[in-house]
Structure formats: structure tokens, C-alpha cells
Amino acid sequence: QVQVEDCGGGCVQVGGSLRLSCSAYGSSFDDYLVAWFRQAPGKHRELISCISRTDGETYVADSVKGRFDISRDTANNTRYLQMNGVKPEDTAMYHCAASQERKFGSYCRYATYDYWGLGTQVTVSR
């Protein structure tokens, strides 16, 4: 069973960049779909981006397309969310999550995510 640890948040000015990290312990991320979610106060949780196990298939939500990018570092068992051109509406708690579900293949956006990190806060200041 994988343990997920997410980190890298902080305070950043509008237009700036951050890179969030998601590390796996106890298992290889190559056996899991990995996703980044965010939730702002008073709003529903939103799937931002996800990546398949090994074939590189990714999904990026329209709200962040062209600004955020998900990537993998297989050697270090880590997945990243690169956030560029941040906006005030990107302020939220960001969570990394992993899924062993296989019925959707590489279509990670449809999976159910069972293993969650504690979250890392991102605050965008004007």
C-alpha cells in the first residue's frame, strides 16, 4: 500500500511559479495513476491534472491548461505539478492522490483515488 506525501506549496505573487512535489513511499508510483486535486474554501474539490502509470498519458483541467503541467521522475518515485503564471483563483489546498484502478486504462481523470497526501497550501497574492 502506497503512502503519498505532497509538498512544495507556499505564497507566490500573481504571475509567479511554484512546483509541487508528490512522493510515494512503500510502493512504486509506476503501479498507480497519480493526480493533483485542489480545494478552495467554500468550493468543491477540483481535479487539476493527472498522469498515467508509464505511458505518459496526462489530463489537465481547462482552468489551468497552458499554465500547469504534470510530470514524472521515475528514478525518484515522484510526480510534480509545475504551476506557472499563477492567478489569485489558484489559491487553494492542493492534494496529491494515487489510484490502483485499472478499468479506465490510462484515462486517469475517470479513476477513483484512494491514497491521499495531507495537502499543501498555495496562496497567490496580488
Side-chain angles (χ1 to χ4, degrees), residues 34-115:
V34 178
W36 285 98
F37 293 81
R38 71 182 180 187
Q39 187 165 19
K43 294 190 176 182
H44 294 295
R45 187 173 63 200
E46 177 186 12
L47 171 62
I48 293 300
S49 188
C50 60
I51 189 166
S52 63
R53 288 172 177 81
T54 55
D55 65 8
E57 183 78 19
T58 63
Y59 163 80
V60 180
D62 288 342
S63 57
V64 301
K65 194 167 290 182
R67 300 188 296 120
F68 292 11
D69 183 47
I70 191 168
S71 63
R72 73 175 81 243
D73 179 348
T74 301
N76 291 303
N77 214 16
T78 299
R79 304 294 183 257
Y80 299 103
L81 183 70
Q82 179 67 43
M83 304 169 62
N84 298 322
V86 297
K87 303 176 180 180
E89 53 263 42
D90 295 323
T91 294
M93 181 69 79
Y94 285 71
H95 293 267
C96 179
S99 171
Q100 287 186 295
E101 200 166 277
R102 293 187 178 272
K103 65 181 179 182
F104 297 111
S106 297
Y107 294 102
C108 54
R109 65 181 297 190
Y110 301 115
T112 298
Y113 289 82
D114 298 312
Y115 306 98

Side-chain angles (χ1 to χ4, degrees), residues 19-31:
R19 189 176 76 163
L20 306 184
S21 299
C22 179
S23 298
Y25 299 93
S27 192
S28 170
F29 256 163
D30 287 350
D31 295 329

Side-chain angles (χ1 to χ4, degrees), residues 3-19:
Q3 287 185 298
V4 176
E5 185 174 293
D6 40 32
C7 64
C11 188
V12 59
Q13 289 189 323
V14 168
S17 298
L18 274 178
R19 189 176 76 163

